[in-house]
Amino acid sequence: MANASRLFQERIEWSNSVLCLGFDFRPEHVPACFYKYGPDGYLEGERSMISYLHAALFAVQDHVACIKPNIAFFEALGMDGLYALQALNGMARNTEVPVILDAKRGDIGSTNEAYAKAYLNPTGFGGSAPIDHIYCDGLTINPFLGTDSLTPYLAAAEVGEKALFFLVSTSNRDGAMVQQATTKDGKTVKEVIAHWIHERYKTRNFVSKGLSGLGAVVGATD
């Protein structure tokens, strides 16, 4: 976890920016100049996406603290989209731009263990060699299934020295139905989650160079 927080801190200082730029990929917005065609004349989706994403990252890399690809937009495009996301994250890593993967994962038990392994500490079949995976420095997490469900993410992030960003107060209109609900001791649900994050960072190895490796997702409009 120390490595991720140090990476973010150093990047903020180097770029003089705290801007996190979202990469919500929409193919209909890609200019035709980035289209790549195969020898048979068919449009090659993966190569076209990578061409555009490379140019986009190159244009912003000196001005952002990190990028935040939303995995849903890439998943919607099938394997071409996932390979393009993998390429984008690899390009970011090569240019030392931190990547927060916006996946908002959250489940229970062994499912969360699998999610944590997939994004935070991936290994090959049988736990030997690393696999070709969707690399990231940080991951967004949905905590609303209960804090006990978050243990696999904390463990994997600590081992892999990654950052975690938990949904606390989102900007969608109906988010308040859950997040502003009041517990029996008078605290809102989002206050309970924020307090939980604060307690976890104090008790585990989640701090390096001033920044915690545990963060909160808070909608600016809220």
Side-chain angles (χ1 to χ4, degrees):
M1 183 65 74
N3 277 0
S5 55
R6 184 170 62 247
L7 177 64
F8 282 109
Q9 181 71 49
E10 291 175 351
R11 180 71 190 183
I12 288 169
E13 293 172 359
W14 180 88
S15 64
N16 193 30
S17 171
V18 293
L19 180 64
C20 173
L21 183 65
F23 271 67
D24 298 354
F25 183 80
R26 295 175 172 89
E28 63 271 21
H29 294 165
V30 175
C33 61
F34 293 103
Y35 291 179
K36 301 295 181 182
Y37 296 90
D40 54 5
Y42 284 97
L43 180 67
E44 295 187 348
E46 179 187 339
R47 289 183 61 220
S48 299
M49 284 186 273
I50 291 174
S51 173
Y52 172 74
L53 292 168
H54 181 272
L57 181 62
F58 180 78
V60 304
Q61 64 184 18
D62 291 340
H63 310 289
V64 299
C66 58
I67 64 170
K68 183 176 67 65
N70 189 310
I71 196 171
F73 291 91
F74 295 90
E75 289 176 333
L77 300 171
M79 294 307 299
D80 280 353
L82 291 175
Y83 284 129
L85 174 59
Q86 185 181 59
L88 169 65
N89 291 1
M91 289 184 283
R93 186 177 191 178
N94 290 337
T95 54
E96 298 184 337
V97 177
V99 176
I100 301 172
L101 184 63
D102 194 1
K104 300 181 179 73
R105 294 302 187 230
D107 211 302
I108 56 175
S110 59
T111 308
N112 265 354
E113 292 176 6
Y115 278 143
K117 183 177 181 181
Y119 299 115
L120 300 172
N121 193 26
T123 55
F125 181 75
S128 54
I131 59 174
D132 203 14
H133 66 288
I134 298 176
Y135 161 85
C136 65
D137 300 292
L139 180 67
T140 58
I141 303 293
N142 184 345
F144 292 106
L145 275 75
T147 54
D148 60 331
S149 69
L150 305 177
T151 301
Y153 296 112
L154 292 171
E158 194 166 11
V159 170
E161 297 185 308
K162 306 293 186 180
L164 300 174
F165 296 85
F166 300 95
L167 301 183
V168 172
S169 184
T170 60
S171 57
N172 57 307
R173 184 183 61 185
D174 292 335
M177 181 179 69
V178 173
Q179 297 156 18
Q180 294 276 60
T182 305
T183 64
K184 62 183 179 181
D185 58 357
K187 296 180 179 179
T188 63
V189 171
K190 65 182 182 182
E191 287 174 333
V192 171
I193 295 172
H195 179 73
W196 179 88
I197 296 171
H198 183 66
E199 291 301 306
R200 296 291 81 68
Y201 109 82
K202 288 198 304 183
T203 58
R204 303 181 71 145
N205 182 28
F206 290 143
V207 180
S208 174
K209 204 175 180 181
L211 280 182
S212 168
L214 301 182
V217 177
V218 180
T221 56
D222 193 36

PDB file of all heavy atoms in Angstrom, residues 161-189:
ATOM      1  N   GLU A 161       0.476  -3.450  -2.379  1.00  0.00           N
ATOM      2  CA  GLU A 161       0.757  -2.022  -2.207  1.00  0.00           C
ATOM      3  C   GLU A 161      -0.068  -1.175  -3.173  1.00  0.00           C
ATOM      4  O   GLU A 161       0.431  -0.322  -3.893  1.00  0.00           O
ATOM      5  CB  GLU A 161       2.251  -1.743  -2.357  1.00  0.00           C
ATOM      6  CG  GLU A 161       3.094  -2.445  -1.292  1.00  0.00           C
ATOM      7  CD  GLU A 161       4.559  -2.081  -1.363  1.00  0.00           C
ATOM      8  OE1 GLU A 161       5.150  -2.192  -2.455  1.00  0.00           O
ATOM      9  OE2 GLU A 161       5.117  -1.671  -0.336  1.00  0.00           O
ATOM     10  N   LYS A 162      -1.372  -1.431  -3.187  1.00  0.00           N
ATOM     11  CA  LYS A 162      -2.319  -0.698  -4.025  1.00  0.00           C
ATOM     12  C   LYS A 162      -3.165   0.237  -3.172  1.00  0.00           C
ATOM     13  O   LYS A 162      -3.158   0.171  -1.945  1.00  0.00           O
ATOM     14  CB  LYS A 162      -3.241  -1.678  -4.759  1.00  0.00           C
ATOM     15  CG  LYS A 162      -2.528  -2.746  -5.562  1.00  0.00           C
ATOM     16  CD  LYS A 162      -1.781  -2.171  -6.744  1.00  0.00           C
ATOM     17  CE  LYS A 162      -1.201  -3.280  -7.621  1.00  0.00           C
ATOM     18  NZ  LYS A 162      -0.468  -2.748  -8.784  1.00  0.00           N
ATOM     19  N   ALA A 163      -3.929   1.106  -3.840  1.00  0.00           N
ATOM     20  CA  ALA A 163      -4.827   2.028  -3.157  1.00  0.00           C
ATOM     21  C   ALA A 163      -6.275   1.586  -3.361  1.00  0.00           C
ATOM     22  O   ALA A 163      -6.613   0.973  -4.377  1.00  0.00           O
ATOM     23  CB  ALA A 163      -4.635   3.452  -3.678  1.00  0.00           C
ATOM     24  N   LEU A 164      -7.124   1.898  -2.398  1.00  0.00           N
ATOM     25  CA  LEU A 164      -8.546   1.592  -2.471  1.00  0.00           C
ATOM     26  C   LEU A 164      -9.344   2.864  -2.240  1.00  0.00           C
ATOM     27  O   LEU A 164      -9.043   3.634  -1.335  1.00  0.00           O
ATOM     28  CB  LEU A 164      -8.935   0.547  -1.416  1.00  0.00           C
ATOM     29  CG  LEU A 164      -8.243  -0.811  -1.489  1.00  0.00           C
ATOM     30  CD1 LEU A 164      -8.640  -1.661  -0.277  1.00  0.00           C
ATOM     31  CD2 LEU A 164      -8.579  -1.542  -2.782  1.00  0.00           C
ATOM     32  N   PHE A 165     -10.378   3.069  -3.057  1.00  0.00           N
ATOM     33  CA  PHE A 165     -11.260   4.223  -2.923  1.00  0.00           C
ATOM     34  C   PHE A 165     -12.687   3.713  -2.749  1.00  0.00           C
ATOM     35  O   PHE A 165     -13.271   3.131  -3.667  1.00  0.00           O
ATOM     36  CB  PHE A 165     -11.158   5.130  -4.150  1.00  0.00           C
ATOM     37  CG  PHE A 165      -9.796   5.748  -4.325  1.00  0.00           C
ATOM     38  CD1 PHE A 165      -8.787   5.059  -4.986  1.00  0.00           C
ATOM     39  CD2 PHE A 165      -9.511   6.996  -3.814  1.00  0.00           C
ATOM     40  CE1 PHE A 165      -7.528   5.613  -5.139  1.00  0.00           C
ATOM     41  CE2 PHE A 165      -8.257   7.562  -3.960  1.00  0.00           C
ATOM     42  CZ  PHE A 165      -7.260   6.870  -4.625  1.00  0.00           C
ATOM     43  N   PHE A 166     -13.256   3.938  -1.568  1.00  0.00           N
ATOM     44  CA  PHE A 166     -14.573   3.407  -1.221  1.00  0.00           C
ATOM     45  C   PHE A 166     -15.674   4.435  -1.502  1.00  0.00           C
ATOM     46  O   PHE A 166     -15.526   5.617  -1.163  1.00  0.00           O
ATOM     47  CB  PHE A 166     -14.611   3.020   0.261  1.00  0.00           C
ATOM     48  CG  PHE A 166     -13.608   1.980   0.638  1.00  0.00           C
ATOM     49  CD1 PHE A 166     -12.378   2.336   1.166  1.00  0.00           C
ATOM     50  CD2 PHE A 166     -13.884   0.633   0.460  1.00  0.00           C
ATOM     51  CE1 PHE A 166     -11.443   1.378   1.512  1.00  0.00           C
ATOM     52  CE2 PHE A 166     -12.950  -0.337   0.803  1.00  0.00           C
ATOM     53  CZ  PHE A 166     -11.724   0.038   1.328  1.00  0.00           C
ATOM     54  N   LEU A 167     -16.758   3.981  -2.093  1.00  0.00           N
ATOM     55  CA  LEU A 167     -17.912   4.853  -2.273  1.00  0.00           C
ATOM     56  C   LEU A 167     -18.419   5.293  -0.901  1.00  0.00           C
ATOM     57  O   LEU A 167     -18.669   4.465  -0.031  1.00  0.00           O
ATOM     58  CB  LEU A 167     -19.035   4.122  -3.009  1.00  0.00           C
ATOM     59  CG  LEU A 167     -18.738   3.564  -4.404  1.00  0.00           C
ATOM     60  CD1 LEU A 167     -19.996   2.939  -4.991  1.00  0.00           C
ATOM     61  CD2 LEU A 167     -18.195   4.639  -5.322  1.00  0.00           C
ATOM     62  N   VAL A 168     -18.568   6.593  -0.721  1.00  0.00           N
ATOM     63  CA  VAL A 168     -19.078   7.139   0.537  1.00  0.00           C
ATOM     64  C   VAL A 168     -20.305   8.005   0.279  1.00  0.00           C
ATOM     65  O   VAL A 168     -21.365   7.791   0.856  1.00  0.00           O
ATOM     66  CB  VAL A 168     -17.989   7.949   1.275  1.00  0.00           C
ATOM     67  CG1 VAL A 168     -18.583   8.678   2.483  1.00  0.00           C
ATOM     68  CG2 VAL A 168     -16.869   7.017   1.742  1.00  0.00           C
ATOM     69  N   SER A 169     -20.160   8.994  -0.596  1.00  0.00           N
ATOM     70  CA  SER A 169     -21.258   9.918  -0.869  1.00  0.00           C
ATOM     71  C   SER A 169     -21.281  10.199  -2.361  1.00  0.00           C
ATOM     72  O   SER A 169     -20.476  10.981  -2.862  1.00  0.00           O
ATOM     73  CB  SER A 169     -21.064  11.212  -0.071  1.00  0.00           C
ATOM     74  OG  SER A 169     -22.149  12.076  -0.247  1.00  0.00           O
ATOM     75  N   THR A 170     -22.175   9.565  -3.082  1.00  0.00           N
ATOM     76  CA  THR A 170     -22.197   9.674  -4.537  1.00  0.00           C
ATOM     77  C   THR A 170     -23.143  10.787  -4.978  1.00  0.00           C
ATOM     78  O   THR A 170     -23.999  11.245  -4.219  1.00  0.00           O
ATOM     79  CB  THR A 170     -22.611   8.342  -5.186  1.00  0.00           C
ATOM     80  OG1 THR A 170     -23.925   7.979  -4.737  1.00  0.00           O
ATOM     81  CG2 THR A 170     -21.628   7.242  -4.801  1.00  0.00           C
ATOM     82  N   SER A 171     -22.992  11.225  -6.231  1.00  0.00           N
ATOM     83  CA  SER A 171     -23.708  12.407  -6.703  1.00  0.00           C
ATOM     84  C   SER A 171     -25.041  12.079  -7.379  1.00  0.00           C
ATOM     85  O   SER A 171     -25.760  13.000  -7.761  1.00  0.00           O
ATOM     86  CB  SER A 171     -22.823  13.192  -7.676  1.00  0.00           C
ATOM     87  OG  SER A 171     -22.421  12.371  -8.757  1.00  0.00           O
ATOM     88  N   ASN A 172     -25.363  10.793  -7.517  1.00  0.00           N
ATOM     89  CA  ASN A 172     -26.656  10.468  -8.131  1.00  0.00           C
ATOM     90  C   ASN A 172     -27.796  10.833  -7.185  1.00  0.00           C
ATOM     91  O   ASN A 172     -27.679  10.739  -5.959  1.00  0.00           O
ATOM     92  CB  ASN A 172     -26.716   8.979  -8.482  1.00  0.00           C
ATOM     93  CG  ASN A 172     -26.492   8.078  -7.296  1.00  0.00           C
ATOM     94  OD1 ASN A 172     -25.500   8.222  -6.592  1.00  0.00           O
ATOM     95  ND2 ASN A 172     -27.398   7.151  -7.064  1.00  0.00           N
ATOM     96  N   ARG A 173     -28.919  11.255  -7.756  1.00  0.00           N
ATOM     97  CA  ARG A 173     -30.010  11.841  -6.978  1.00  0.00           C
ATOM     98  C   ARG A 173     -30.532  10.912  -5.882  1.00  0.00           C
ATOM     99  O   ARG A 173     -30.831  11.351  -4.767  1.00  0.00           O
ATOM    100  CB  ARG A 173     -31.156  12.217  -7.924  1.00  0.00           C
ATOM    101  CG  ARG A 173     -32.305  12.933  -7.247  1.00  0.00           C
ATOM    102  CD  ARG A 173     -33.416  13.203  -8.243  1.00  0.00           C
ATOM    103  NE  ARG A 173     -33.927  11.954  -8.789  1.00  0.00           N
ATOM    104  CZ  ARG A 173     -34.845  11.876  -9.775  1.00  0.00           C
ATOM    105  NH1 ARG A 173     -35.296  12.991 -10.309  1.00  0.00           N
ATOM    106  NH2 ARG A 173     -35.266  10.703 -10.200  1.00  0.00           N
ATOM    107  N   ASP A 174     -30.664   9.625  -6.188  1.00  0.00           N
ATOM    108  CA  ASP A 174     -31.259   8.697  -5.235  1.00  0.00           C
ATOM    109  C   ASP A 174     -30.248   8.051  -4.293  1.00  0.00           C
ATOM    110  O   ASP A 174     -30.614   7.199  -3.481  1.00  0.00           O
ATOM    111  CB  ASP A 174     -32.032   7.598  -5.985  1.00  0.00           C
ATOM    112  CG  ASP A 174     -33.263   8.154  -6.687  1.00  0.00           C
ATOM    113  OD1 ASP A 174     -33.763   9.196  -6.233  1.00  0.00           O
ATOM    114  OD2 ASP A 174     -33.712   7.552  -7.676  1.00  0.00           O
ATOM    115  N   GLY A 175     -28.970   8.452  -4.406  1.00  0.00           N
ATOM    116  CA  GLY A 175     -27.968   7.889  -3.512  1.00  0.00           C
ATOM    117  C   GLY A 175     -28.266   8.164  -2.049  1.00  0.00           C
ATOM    118  O   GLY A 175     -27.935   7.365  -1.164  1.00  0.00           O
ATOM    119  N   ALA A 176     -28.911   9.296  -1.797  1.00  0.00           N
ATOM    120  CA  ALA A 176     -29.208   9.686  -0.411  1.00  0.00           C
ATOM    121  C   ALA A 176     -30.142   8.696   0.276  1.00  0.00           C
ATOM    122  O   ALA A 176     -30.142   8.604   1.504  1.00  0.00           O
ATOM    123  CB  ALA A 176     -29.822  11.083  -0.385  1.00  0.00           C
ATOM    124  N   MET A 177     -30.933   7.955  -0.496  1.00  0.00           N
ATOM    125  CA  MET A 177     -31.863   6.994   0.097  1.00  0.00           C
ATOM    126  C   MET A 177     -31.129   6.004   1.000  1.00  0.00           C
ATOM    127  O   MET A 177     -31.645   5.602   2.053  1.00  0.00           O
ATOM    128  CB  MET A 177     -32.597   6.233  -1.016  1.00  0.00           C
ATOM    129  CG  MET A 177     -33.618   5.221  -0.516  1.00  0.00           C
ATOM    130  SD  MET A 177     -34.464   4.384  -1.883  1.00  0.00           S
ATOM    131  CE  MET A 177     -33.124   3.376  -2.560  1.00  0.00           C
ATOM    132  N   VAL A 178     -29.912   5.622   0.601  1.00  0.00           N
ATOM    133  CA  VAL A 178     -29.097   4.712   1.404  1.00  0.00           C
ATOM    134  C   VAL A 178     -28.053   5.483   2.202  1.00  0.00           C
ATOM    135  O   VAL A 178     -27.906   5.302   3.407  1.00  0.00           O
ATOM    136  CB  VAL A 178     -28.414   3.661   0.500  1.00  0.00           C
ATOM    137  CG1 VAL A 178     -27.425   2.826   1.303  1.00  0.00           C
ATOM    138  CG2 VAL A 178     -29.447   2.768  -0.159  1.00  0.00           C
ATOM    139  N   GLN A 179     -27.351   6.386   1.533  1.00  0.00           N
ATOM    140  CA  GLN A 179     -26.191   7.030   2.156  1.00  0.00           C
ATOM    141  C   GLN A 179     -26.572   8.004   3.261  1.00  0.00           C
ATOM    142  O   GLN A 179     -25.797   8.222   4.200  1.00  0.00           O
ATOM    143  CB  GLN A 179     -25.370   7.724   1.065  1.00  0.00           C
ATOM    144  CG  GLN A 179     -24.799   6.749   0.053  1.00  0.00           C
ATOM    145  CD  GLN A 179     -24.502   7.387  -1.287  1.00  0.00           C
ATOM    146  OE1 GLN A 179     -24.404   8.599  -1.407  1.00  0.00           O
ATOM    147  NE2 GLN A 179     -24.377   6.563  -2.326  1.00  0.00           N
ATOM    148  N   GLN A 180     -27.748   8.603   3.163  1.00  0.00           N
ATOM    149  CA  GLN A 180     -28.193   9.557   4.185  1.00  0.00           C
ATOM    150  C   GLN A 180     -29.096   8.905   5.229  1.00  0.00           C
ATOM    151  O   GLN A 180     -29.531   9.577   6.176  1.00  0.00           O
ATOM    152  CB  GLN A 180     -28.960  10.715   3.532  1.00  0.00           C
ATOM    153  CG  GLN A 180     -28.111  11.596   2.629  1.00  0.00           C
ATOM    154  CD  GLN A 180     -27.377  12.667   3.406  1.00  0.00           C
ATOM    155  OE1 GLN A 180     -26.584  12.371   4.293  1.00  0.00           O
ATOM    156  NE2 GLN A 180     -27.633  13.920   3.074  1.00  0.00           N
ATOM    157  N   ALA A 181     -29.357   7.605   5.057  1.00  0.00           N
ATOM    158  CA  ALA A 181     -30.166   6.911   6.063  1.00  0.00           C
ATOM    159  C   ALA A 181     -29.449   6.941   7.405  1.00  0.00           C
ATOM    160  O   ALA A 181     -28.218   6.885   7.476  1.00  0.00           O
ATOM    161  CB  ALA A 181     -30.419   5.470   5.624  1.00  0.00           C
ATOM    162  N   THR A 182     -30.223   7.039   8.467  1.00  0.00           N
ATOM    163  CA  THR A 182     -29.659   7.208   9.799  1.00  0.00           C
ATOM    164  C   THR A 182     -29.675   5.898  10.573  1.00  0.00           C
ATOM    165  O   THR A 182     -30.676   5.177  10.589  1.00  0.00           O
ATOM    166  CB  THR A 182     -30.454   8.264  10.586  1.00  0.00           C
ATOM    167  OG1 THR A 182     -30.505   9.473   9.834  1.00  0.00           O
ATOM    168  CG2 THR A 182     -29.800   8.554  11.927  1.00  0.00           C
ATOM    169  N   THR A 183     -28.557   5.589  11.202  1.00  0.00           N
ATOM    170  CA  THR A 183     -28.457   4.390  12.022  1.00  0.00           C
ATOM    171  C   THR A 183     -29.078   4.652  13.391  1.00  0.00           C
ATOM    172  O   THR A 183     -29.422   5.788  13.731  1.00  0.00           O
ATOM    173  CB  THR A 183     -26.984   3.980  12.192  1.00  0.00           C
ATOM    174  OG1 THR A 183     -26.299   5.014  12.908  1.00  0.00           O
ATOM    175  CG2 THR A 183     -26.318   3.789  10.833  1.00  0.00           C
ATOM    176  N   LYS A 184     -29.171   3.622  14.196  1.00  0.00           N
ATOM    177  CA  LYS A 184     -29.827   3.757  15.502  1.00  0.00           C
ATOM    178  C   LYS A 184     -29.074   4.677  16.458  1.00  0.00           C
ATOM    179  O   LYS A 184     -29.650   5.190  17.424  1.00  0.00           O
ATOM    180  CB  LYS A 184     -30.015   2.384  16.138  1.00  0.00           C
ATOM    181  CG  LYS A 184     -28.726   1.632  16.416  1.00  0.00           C
ATOM    182  CD  LYS A 184     -29.019   0.247  16.982  1.00  0.00           C
ATOM    183  CE  LYS A 184     -27.739  -0.531  17.255  1.00  0.00           C
ATOM    184  NZ  LYS A 184     -28.025  -1.886  17.788  1.00  0.00           N
ATOM    185  N   ASP A 185     -27.772   4.904  16.191  1.00  0.00           N
ATOM    186  CA  ASP A 185     -27.014   5.817  17.060  1.00  0.00           C
ATOM    187  C   ASP A 185     -26.938   7.228  16.481  1.00  0.00           C
ATOM    188  O   ASP A 185     -26.149   8.057  16.938  1.00  0.00           O
ATOM    189  CB  ASP A 185     -25.616   5.272  17.341  1.00  0.00           C
ATOM    190  CG  ASP A 185     -24.805   5.045  16.080  1.00  0.00           C
ATOM    191  OD1 ASP A 185     -25.350   5.262  14.975  1.00  0.00           O
ATOM    192  OD2 ASP A 185     -23.629   4.651  16.191  1.00  0.00           O
ATOM    193  N   GLY A 186     -27.754   7.505  15.454  1.00  0.00           N
ATOM    194  CA  GLY A 186     -27.870   8.861  14.938  1.00  0.00           C
ATOM    195  C   GLY A 186     -26.907   9.244  13.843  1.00  0.00           C
ATOM    196  O   GLY A 186     -26.952  10.377  13.344  1.00  0.00           O
ATOM    197  N   LYS A 187     -26.039   8.348  13.408  1.00  0.00           N
ATOM    198  CA  LYS A 187     -25.095   8.637  12.331  1.00  0.00           C
ATOM    199  C   LYS A 187     -25.694   8.218  10.997  1.00  0.00           C
ATOM    200  O   LYS A 187     -26.465   7.265  10.925  1.00  0.00           O
ATOM    201  CB  LYS A 187     -23.773   7.901  12.553  1.00  0.00           C
ATOM    202  CG  LYS A 187     -23.007   8.331  13.787  1.00  0.00           C
ATOM    203  CD  LYS A 187     -21.715   7.549  13.907  1.00  0.00           C
ATOM    204  CE  LYS A 187     -20.914   7.992  15.130  1.00  0.00           C
ATOM    205  NZ  LYS A 187     -19.659   7.207  15.278  1.00  0.00           N
ATOM    206  N   THR A 188     -25.327   8.940   9.934  1.00  0.00           N
ATOM    207  CA  THR A 188     -25.746   8.509   8.603  1.00  0.00           C
ATOM    208  C   THR A 188     -24.857   7.352   8.148  1.00  0.00           C
ATOM    209  O   THR A 188     -23.745   7.165   8.651  1.00  0.00           O
ATOM    210  CB  THR A 188     -25.648   9.650   7.580  1.00  0.00           C
ATOM    211  OG1 THR A 188     -24.272  10.045   7.456  1.00  0.00           O
ATOM    212  CG2 THR A 188     -26.501  10.838   7.999  1.00  0.00           C
ATOM    213  N   VAL A 189     -25.366   6.604   7.180  1.00  0.00           N
ATOM    214  CA  VAL A 189     -24.601   5.471   6.651  1.00  0.00           C
ATOM    215  C   VAL A 189     -23.269   5.951   6.084  1.00  0.00           C
ATOM    216  O   VAL A 189     -22.221   5.319   6.293  1.00  0.00           O
ATOM    217  CB  VAL A 189     -25.420   4.719   5.589  1.00  0.00           C
ATOM    218  CG1 VAL A 189     -24.561   3.682   4.873  1.00  0.00           C
ATOM    219  CG2 VAL A 189     -26.645   4.062   6.210  1.00  0.00           C
TER     220      VAL A 189
END
